[in-house]
């Protein structure tokens, strides 16, 4: 199980790093279109999940689901996503009640990136959270979730139904 969590969190932090870096492009120079959606898990709204749209070209967009499962995508701090076909990932964990959860909440993304490979960081991750959804949804190659972001914002209301099976 520890190896499973290690891989899951490694994928999450790699995707976070790509999102923060904008995949090498300048987010300020790309045109973004407002995009939103909803995520359900076994028919129920999935709260506090990170949804990522990963286009073939351009920076990734991310959003966090609210209590009703809805999200709005942002790219580099700007509202919207680049147009085109995207692979979609969803990452959701439940926070534990340990001191490790509190420590992780105070860490910046830069701090996480610096310590991500250490045994101490892995121990914090193992103690602080449990997966809510199957790990296949965390990775672009296995999630099987896709979306096409249109230049017409009215067409960019996405719906994803996930299952625990």
């Amino acid at each position: 199980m520890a190896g499973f969590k290690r891989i899951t969190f490694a994928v999450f932090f790699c995707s976070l790093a790509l999102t923060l870096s904008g995949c090498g492009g300048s987010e300020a120079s790309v045109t973004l279109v407002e995009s939103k959606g909803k995520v359900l898990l076994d028919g129920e709204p999935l709260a506090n999940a990170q949804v990522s749209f990963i286009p073939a070209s351009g920076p990734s967009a991310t959003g966090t689901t609210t209590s009703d499962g809805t999200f709005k995508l942002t790219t580099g701090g700007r509202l919207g996503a680049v147009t085109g076909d995207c692979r979609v990932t969803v990452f959701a964990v439940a926070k534990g009640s340990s001191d490790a959860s509190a420590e992780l909440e105070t860490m910046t993304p830069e701090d996480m990136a610096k310590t991500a490979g250490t045994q101490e960081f892995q121990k914090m991750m193992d103690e602080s959270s449990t997966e809510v959804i199957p790990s296949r949804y965390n990775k672009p190659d296995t999630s099987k979730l896709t979306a096409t972001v249109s230049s017409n914002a009215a067409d960019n209301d996405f719906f994803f139904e996930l299952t625990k099976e």
Side-chain angles (χ1 to χ4, degrees), residues 32-38 53 71-73 80-84 147-160:
L32 303 177
V33 182
E34 188 173 334
S35 303
K36 61 184 179 175
K38 185 170 190 167
F53 278 45
F71 64 90
K72 289 185 179 181
L73 293 174
V82 296
T83 60
T148 301
V149 177
S150 169
S151 59
N152 181 2
D155 296 332
N156 296 335
D157 192 358
F158 302 99
F159 180 79
F160 301 103

Side-chain angles (χ1 to χ4, degrees), residues 61-144:
T62 61
T64 302
T65 59
T66 61
S67 61
D68 66 355
T70 60
F71 64 90
K72 289 185 179 181
L73 293 174
T74 60
T75 303
R78 295 173 44 214
L79 188 62
V82 296
T83 60
D85 295 333
C86 298
R87 294 182 293 169
V88 178
T89 61
V90 181
F91 183 82
V93 294
K95 292 181 182 175
S97 59
S98 69
D99 291 337
S101 293
E103 187 172 344
L104 281 171
E105 287 179 12
T106 64
M107 293 180 80
T108 65
E110 293 81 14
D111 291 338
M112 286 185 185
K114 288 178 189 174
T115 61
T118 67
Q119 288 180 346
E120 178 183 339
F121 183 76
Q122 186 58 46
K123 182 179 177 189
M124 273 193 292
M125 296 301 283
D126 290 344
E127 292 175 358
S128 69
S129 60
T130 57
E131 289 191 334
V132 175
I133 62 174
S135 64
R136 70 177 175 270
Y137 295 116
N138 302 339
K139 302 178 231 37
D141 295 336
T142 60
S143 78
K144 297 184 181 178

Side-chain angles (χ1 to χ4, degrees), residues 11-24:
V11 169
F12 171 71
F13 287 113
C14 287
S15 69
L16 179 62
L18 285 174
T19 299
L20 293 174
S21 70
C23 299

Side-chain angles (χ1 to χ4, degrees), residues 39-44 46 49 90-91 133-134 136-137 143 145 159-165:
V39 180
L40 299 181
L41 177 62
D42 292 330
E44 297 295 323
L46 180 60
V90 181
F91 183 82
I133 62 174
R136 70 177 175 270
Y137 295 116
S143 78
L145 301 173
F159 180 79
F160 301 103
E161 175 102 36
L162 312 182
T163 61
K164 287 185 182 176
E165 293 180 22

